[in-house]
């Protein structure tokens, strides 16, 4: 078999290259650090928005419940007022009938006494 010919790196050369990172490695590390910072920032923003969304959902549910309760309150109040109006209307009709009956009696008495 033929022996491979070529330059072999000495042990000293290998140590030098592993001690100092290349410009490409440095740029990659800087880029990685930037991306990690950006990722942490985005995760923080996502968490903030998730909490805000949860609060908004709770607020919407609370508002919905309050609106429903207010609608029920107004419905009962309206029903009570309508009932009161109907009751007063009946009372007024009865009083008018009684007044008309009394008027009729008085008119008859007046006509009898006049004759």
């Amino acid at each position: 078999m033929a022996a491979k010919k070529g330059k072999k790196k000495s042990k000293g050369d290998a140590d030098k290259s592993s001690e100092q990172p290349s410009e490409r490695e440095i740029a990659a590390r800087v880029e990685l650090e930037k991306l990690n910072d950006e990722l942490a920032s985005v995760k923080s923003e996502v968490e903030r928005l998730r909490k805000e969304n949860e609060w908004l959902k709770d607020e919407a549910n609370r508002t919905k419940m309050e609106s429903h309760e207010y609608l029920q309150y107004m419905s009962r109040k309206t029903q009570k007022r309508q009932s009161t109006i109907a009751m007063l209307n009946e009372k007024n009709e009865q009083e008018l009938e009684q007044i008309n009956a009394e008027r009729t009696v008085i008119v008859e008495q007046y006509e009898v006494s006049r004759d």
Side-chain angles (χ1 to χ4, degrees):
M1 296 216 165
K4 291 187 181 180
K5 292 183 182 178
K7 264 188 167 176
K8 291 187 179 181
K9 289 186 179 180
S10 69
K11 190 175 183 181
D13 289 342
D15 286 344
K16 270 189 179 180
S17 66
S18 65
E19 286 177 13
Q20 294 181 350
S22 69
E23 286 184 31
R24 190 173 177 192
E25 287 176 334
I26 293 172
R29 286 181 185 165
V30 168
E31 181 68 20
L32 177 62
E33 189 174 323
K34 285 181 185 176
L35 291 174
N36 282 336
D37 289 344
E38 187 178 340
L39 177 62
S41 174
V42 169
K43 282 183 177 180
S44 173
E45 181 69 7
V46 165
E47 182 62 22
R48 184 189 69 77
L49 290 172
R50 186 192 63 75
K51 287 179 181 178
E52 182 179 346
N53 187 42
E54 188 175 318
W55 181 84
L56 288 171
K57 282 182 180 179
D58 290 344
E59 186 69 16
N61 286 336
R62 188 172 34 257
T63 302
K64 185 177 178 181
M65 281 180 37
E66 288 173 359
S67 295
H68 182 70
E69 289 172 359
Y70 183 73
L71 183 62
Q72 287 179 330
Y73 165 77
M74 290 305 293
S75 176
R76 285 191 304 266
K77 191 172 181 176
T78 301
Q79 193 173 26
K80 184 177 179 181
R81 284 187 177 175
Q82 288 175 344
S83 174
T84 302
I85 290 170
M87 183 181 68
L88 288 174
N89 192 29
E90 285 179 31
K91 182 179 175 189
N92 287 342
E93 285 178 6
Q94 289 173 354
E95 286 179 0
L96 283 173
E97 287 176 10
Q98 183 180 358
I99 290 171
N100 282 332
E102 289 175 6
R103 182 172 108 15
T104 304
V105 169
I106 292 173
V107 167
E108 286 177 2
Q109 287 176 352
Y110 174 75
E111 289 178 0
V112 168
S113 67
R114 202 174 116 196
D115 286 336

